[in-house]
Amino acid sequence: MRKWLMLACALTGVWSAEAQISTLIVTGQDGSHWWKGGSEKLEEILESDGMFEVGEWAIGFEQAAERLEGYELVVVNWGGEAPSEEARRKFEQWVADGGGVVVVHSSIVPMADWKEWNKMTGLGAWDLRSEKDGPWVYWEDGRVVYDYTPGWAGHHALQHPFTVTHRLPDHPILKGLPEEWEHVKDELYGKARGPAKNMVVLATAWDDPAVGGSGRHEPMLWTVDYGHGRVFVTAMGHAGNDPDMRYSMEDAGFQTTLLRGAEWAATGEVTQETTF
Ligand code: ZN
């Protein structure tokens, strides 16, 4: 899949031009979020360390499916409807053949009816999901719990800062990072449900019932293997309907895990030594 040989400049830590990971952002629709501002912020973060080169955005999966060739990474910031069957098959094939995907926050909400998309994200929320879509997945007593109790999927309390805890600190995406860190004000997504197959929970956050949470340690970062492809999901990164409301993407924990997760999704390894 890699078109470029990755060569890090040992002296400066800056990535050489031919080393860049070609990245396609899929965006353009999201009723509950400021998709344009959120996508601009994602592009800014991805281009901040020189490893990723973000091309012209794809407006929806219909357009993305036509432009996948030559890209190594697709970053999804999309809250719209699912594309045509043809576009679905193209995207599924691209991922199964080894494409890397990063899924941000509300992108786990739409397209409940696109079965393969839900396999890629592992977990989804809202959009009429329920026990029919899979178990509620959370962390308890040192392990992942798959809770098949019937119920709706998707929940968040009022936005608030919260602590993120790494559950697999030796995973390449997390290795060398603080195992606990404070995330800025965000929507803490909970009660997500999905097929949860080939899924690895990397980090969770306590969804405190005292502030309206679910009373579980909810997955915040996870990976899914899809064929030869790799998917990295961050449930964080709310961007509200106002230019001043991108604060949830502003902290180093969100940005560092996004960058490292993106490299892992694209290449299967993490060479960034960035920490915070
Ligand atoms: Zn949100």
Side-chain angles (χ1 to χ4, degrees):
M1 200 64 174
R2 300 299 320 277
K3 295 285 194 299
W4 312 95
L5 180 65
M6 294 207 305
L7 293 167
C9 173
L11 288 175
T12 62
V14 173
W15 290 75
S16 58
E18 60 272 283
Q20 289 183 308
I21 293 170
S22 50
T23 303
L24 180 66
I25 293 180
V26 183
T27 190
Q29 203 177 324
D30 191 326
S32 309
H33 297 83
W34 187 39
W35 61 264
K36 186 168 184 292
S39 297
E40 283 169 354
K41 188 69 195 175
L42 289 169
E43 179 170 340
E44 182 190 316
I45 296 165
L46 287 162
E47 293 201 324
S48 66
D49 77 343
M51 180 179 280
F52 304 91
E53 183 179 29
V54 179
E56 188 187 346
W57 298 349
I59 304 302
F61 278 92
E62 206 66 44
Q63 208 176 83
E66 296 303 319
R67 292 177 38 197
L68 291 167
E69 197 175 336
Y71 282 100
E72 296 159 280
L73 180 69
V74 168
V75 175
V76 182
N77 185 36
W78 171 254
E81 66 266 19
S84 64
E85 288 295 330
E86 188 189 349
R88 293 184 197 197
R89 296 297 96 79
K90 281 183 183 168
F91 186 70
E92 291 159 10
Q93 193 62 52
W94 181 83
V95 182
D97 286 346
V101 184
V102 171
V103 180
V104 179
H105 187 59
S106 54
S107 307
I108 67 165
V109 177
M111 308 190 290
D113 61 336
W114 182 3
K115 193 174 173 193
E116 297 303 310
W117 171 251
N118 286 267
K119 283 189 194 168
M120 288 178 205
T121 60
L123 298 174
W126 296 282
D127 206 20
L128 300 181
R129 287 179 179 86
S130 69
E131 67 277 359
K132 73 183 184 328
D133 298 279
W136 173 18
V137 174
Y138 50 84
W139 185 273
E140 195 172 68
D141 297 332
R143 65 182 183 90
V144 175
V145 175
Y146 303 88
D147 186 339
Y148 288 86
T149 310
W152 296 107
H155 167 272
H156 70 77
L158 288 176
Q159 294 180 35
H160 61 284
F162 52 83
T163 304
V164 176
T165 303
H166 292 176
R167 302 301 185 176
L168 279 183
D170 289 331
H171 189 282
I173 294 172
L174 304 180
K175 202 167 176 61
L177 300 183
E179 293 182 21
E180 274 199 348
W181 47 277
E182 299 307 312
H183 182 44
V184 289
K185 188 166 84 167
D186 202 341
E187 288 168 346
L188 197 169
Y189 274 11
K191 293 191 177 176
R193 289 175 177 271
K197 295 274 166 55
N198 308 313
M199 174 182 165
V200 174
V201 174
L202 299 180
T204 63
W206 171 244
D207 198 7
D208 191 348
V211 293
S214 66
R216 296 288 187 278
H217 294 277
E218 299 283 1
M220 289 294 109
L221 304 173
W222 65 91
T223 64
V224 177
D225 290 333
Y226 184 89
H228 296 291
R230 287 169 299 272
V231 183
F232 170 73
V233 183
T234 176
M236 296 172 280
H238 174 81
N241 290 310
D242 178 305
D244 294 326
M245 289 179 71
R246 297 186 297 187
Y247 41 77
S248 301
M249 295 188 185
E250 296 288 356
D251 65 293
F254 174 82
Q255 296 184 5
T256 304
T257 51
L258 181 82
L259 285 165
R260 294 175 62 133
E263 184 186 3
W264 178 85
T267 71
E269 54 185 18
V270 178
T271 60
Q272 299 167 60
E273 292 175 1
T274 330
T275 187
F276 55 93

